[in-house]
Amino acid sequence: MESDYELSKMTFFVRMSDMNTLVALCAIGAEKILGNEIKLLGYTLCGNAPGRVLFYGDDNALFRANLCLRTADRVYLLMAKFTALDFDQLFDGVYSVNWQDFFKKDSRVTIDKVRVFKSKLNSEHSIQGMVQKAIYKKLQDKWNMSSMPESGEKSDVRIYIDENEVLVLLDLSGLPLHKRGYRTEGGIAPLRETTAAVLLQFMMWKRKIPFHDPFCGSGTLPIEATLYAFNVAPGFGRRFALENLPIFNKEKAEEIKKQEAAKIRTDVEVRITGTDIDPAAIQRSRINAEHACVMAGRALKSIGKDAHLWRPDFQVSSFKDIQAPFENGMLICNPPYGDRLGDEKQAEELYSQMSSLFQDFTGWKIGVITSHKKFQESIGRYASTLKSIKSGNLDTIFYMYDGTEKQKNRFSSKKQTSFSSENKKTKFTRKTETKNSTNEKDYF
């Protein structure tokens, strides 16, 4: 394998025998999670860098990786790898790729991003222009054209140059893979679907474990938990840039879709719930969950199954008014934080109030993602495990509590809302506690 990457070679279309080399992007800090997911699909890892995982896959992997990977932000095909110390070497290396096999005559090729680290070539704008020139020159020479019409579909190429080593990548995803297709409204500062999937894996959540999100917003965490629990491939509701390329095999893609649809589990019982104090957020969550489950239902119908997926249950409630209905479970949330939704002091006050969750969800594992640096100080507990996650330009920390962490203060009792499982569907009830009795009534 190592011989494929010898820098003495000028350039090459990167293949290992009949295998392709693909590059999956992810949030920085999620590389191991993504790598495990890739291995579960049956592919072999061959390298990584911050926010990138390289792997070998057959031709089917080009579509299957886009369809199935939950934690990847994009998937690229590695077209070439070579050393470039000047612009002539950069041009020659890019030109030597057989671009005519990957684009149509009306394709509009763009160099969407250039990333440079410790290299002699360091002007991203100049690199972008030279790569574009080399690609179009190759296409014009092969097709005997004086110019490119650029009237067709857009295709993106990305360039990484690390210590003079150039990676040339062809985008197979198009829109970022966190755009699953089920979320029509995200509300304010929504959590990315791919990040939500990463959090579930960090916490090692399993479908048999009750799950709750007390700040569900647009429902991303409960919906991603639902797709994972029923083994629904996240890409069923969208298209990919690969489908616009000449290398796309539509018949094979349909076969892969049917294979993945056959893996959907409809025989399992799950307890997945979400609450939010904002009625509009709950309405968004229900709509988005319906879209996601309908997407899965269509996949099932494509293989002749008319099965039903249980929707996550969403209810309007403040986190202050809920308590755990089961002895054990998992609570993961993305609460509002100052730099995105409001005042820093308001965020700290909220985090202080959130300390009640440790009393109301005794025995549950709790995970909280935030960018607020004083979160642990505010909530009054030090997490047992911390994970740094950088998604886009946002630096966050995922605080995980498994019950062994240090506690700074005690909590007082208060009015509670509880929810319990009945007939595979979560039912929320409100309990008003008095000194001598407990009255219970339906919450909705």
Side-chain angles (χ1 to χ4, degrees):
M1 292 183 187
E2 292 299 321
S3 61
D4 285 345
Y5 288 93
E6 290 177 2
L7 298 182
S8 60
K9 294 185 178 181
M10 180 60 186
T11 185
F12 48 86
F13 177 54
V14 184
R15 297 179 71 93
M16 182 188 69
S17 182
D18 59 344
M19 304 292 279
N20 306 290
T21 301
L22 295 100
V23 180
L25 304 190
C26 64
I28 296 176
E31 297 85 2
K32 186 175 181 180
I33 295 292
L34 175 56
N36 289 337
E37 194 179 5
I38 290 170
K39 288 189 288 186
L40 286 174
L41 286 181
Y43 303 126
T44 303
L45 304 184
C46 60
N48 65 71
R52 283 179 269 162
V53 179
L54 284 73
F55 63 100
Y56 294 125
D58 58 12
D59 289 343
N60 290 345
L62 276 63
F63 186 80
R64 192 185 299 276
N66 277 288
L67 179 69
C68 297
L69 290 177
R70 301 178 190 279
T71 60
D73 291 322
R74 289 182 183 275
V75 176
Y76 289 90
L77 179 62
L78 181 57
M79 304 300 294
K81 183 174 182 179
F82 56 89
T83 298
L85 302 178
D86 56 39
F87 282 106
D88 287 340
Q89 290 181 340
L90 177 64
F91 180 93
D92 292 342
V94 175
Y95 182 89
S96 65
V97 176
N98 293 324
W99 294 108
Q100 69 277 7
D101 296 334
F102 297 89
F103 298 131
K104 301 175 183 177
K105 290 188 176 181
D106 63 350
S107 293
R108 179 164 53 94
V109 182
T110 62
I111 315 304
D112 72 327
K113 284 187 180 179
V114 174
R115 292 290 181 263
V116 181
F117 177 72
K118 292 184 178 180
S119 300
K120 289 192 174 183
L121 297 176
N122 54 28
S123 171
E124 295 183 1
H125 180 73
S126 298
I127 293 168
Q128 187 177 34
M130 185 59 69
V131 172
Q132 178 96 43
K133 180 180 178 181
I135 294 174
Y136 275 10
K137 176 62 175 171
K138 181 62 171 279
L139 295 176
Q140 290 166 11
D141 288 348
K142 286 294 182 179
W143 293 333
N144 296 317
M145 301 171 66
S146 59
S147 64
M148 297 294 295
E150 297 187 316
S151 57
E153 297 286 347
K154 182 172 76 75
S155 294
D156 290 335
V157 173
R158 182 168 294 196
I159 303 295
Y160 288 98
I161 306 181
D162 295 334
E163 297 182 344
N164 301 314
E165 182 182 271
V166 181
L167 298 183
V168 182
L169 310 178
L170 176 61
D171 182 20
L172 302 178
S173 299
L175 291 174
L177 293 178
H178 75 265
K179 296 182 180 295
R180 313 289 205 210
Y182 64 72
R183 189 174 71 188
T184 55
E185 294 185 52
I188 302 174
L191 183 70
R192 284 186 179 182
E193 289 81 349
T194 47
T195 303
V198 168
L199 303 187
L200 291 167
Q201 294 303 312
F202 272 141
M203 296 286 284
M204 294 186 288
W205 179 76
K206 305 297 180 185
R207 65 170 66 94
K208 65 181 180 180
I209 302 173
F211 178 90
H212 185 68
D213 178 1
F215 299 93
C216 65
S218 58
T220 303
L221 274 163
I223 294 171
E224 287 297 313
T226 299
L227 296 181
Y228 178 66
F230 292 116
N231 201 31
V232 179
F236 274 126
R238 53 162 291 168
R239 287 174 51 85
F240 308 105
L242 170 65
E243 298 177 56
N244 299 324
L245 302 177
I247 59 173
F248 177 61
N249 187 325
K250 184 176 181 181
E251 291 73 22
K252 182 59 68 173
E254 290 300 322
E255 181 182 335
I256 292 171
K257 282 184 178 180
K258 290 181 179 180
Q259 290 171 354
E260 296 304 321
K263 297 176 183 178
I264 296 175
R265 297 285 302 273
T266 58
D267 60 336
V268 295
E269 178 178 336
V270 297
R271 300 179 179 89
I272 300 173
T273 56
T275 52
D276 199 289
I277 198 170
D278 181 7
I282 294 301
Q283 182 65 16
R284 284 194 300 269
S285 296
R286 290 171 178 166
I287 292 173
N288 292 336
E290 184 65 21
H291 289 165
C293 292
V294 167
M295 171 189 77
R298 288 173 180 164
L300 288 168
K301 286 184 179 179
S302 72
I303 57 172
K305 289 187 177 181
D306 190 20
H308 175 81
L309 263 66
W310 292 103
R311 278 59 169 163
D313 195 9
F314 297 102
Q315 298 295 334
V316 178
S317 180
S318 167
F319 72 91
K320 302 173 185 178
D321 298 326
I322 58 175
Q323 64 181 10
F326 306 104
E327 183 177 350
N328 302 110
M330 188 169 292
L331 183 152
I332 305 178
C333 62
N334 174 40
Y337 38 91
D339 58 342
R340 296 188 70 184
L341 295 181
D343 181 77
E344 290 283 323
K345 290 185 178 180
Q346 289 181 332
E348 291 175 12
E349 290 176 5
L350 171 65
Y351 298 152
S352 178
Q353 295 169 0
M354 283 175 59
S355 62
S356 63
L357 291 172
F358 294 101
Q359 180 188 33
D360 299 331
F361 286 81
T362 301
W364 283 47
K365 292 184 178 180
I366 295 176
V368 182
I369 185 170
T370 179
S371 66
H372 201 288
K373 293 181 173 60
K374 295 183 179 180
F375 172 76
Q376 292 186 107
E377 180 180 344
S378 299
I379 201 169
R381 297 229 180 182
Y382 294 104
S384 51
T385 306
L386 282 73
K387 295 287 186 180
S388 297
I389 304 173
K390 181 178 177 63
S391 182
N393 295 320
L394 185 62
D395 292 309
T396 59
I397 301 291
F398 186 43
Y399 299 89
M400 293 182 278
Y401 298 87
D402 61 8
T404 63
E405 64 280 345
K406 294 180 180 179
Q407 179 179 339
K408 290 185 65 176
N409 53 6
R410 294 180 178 274
F411 312 104
S412 59
S413 60
K414 57 177 174 52
K415 185 177 180 180
Q416 305 287 347
T417 298
S418 69
F419 47 94
S420 60
S421 176
E422 185 177 51
N423 298 327
K424 298 184 181 180
K425 185 176 180 181
T426 305
K427 179 182 179 182
F428 288 68
T429 58
R430 170 163 290 165
K431 290 184 178 180
T432 304
E433 297 183 354
T434 63
K435 185 175 181 180
N436 299 317
S437 65
T438 300
N439 299 320
E440 182 177 298
K441 64 178 181 179
D442 286 345
Y443 185 75
F444 61 97

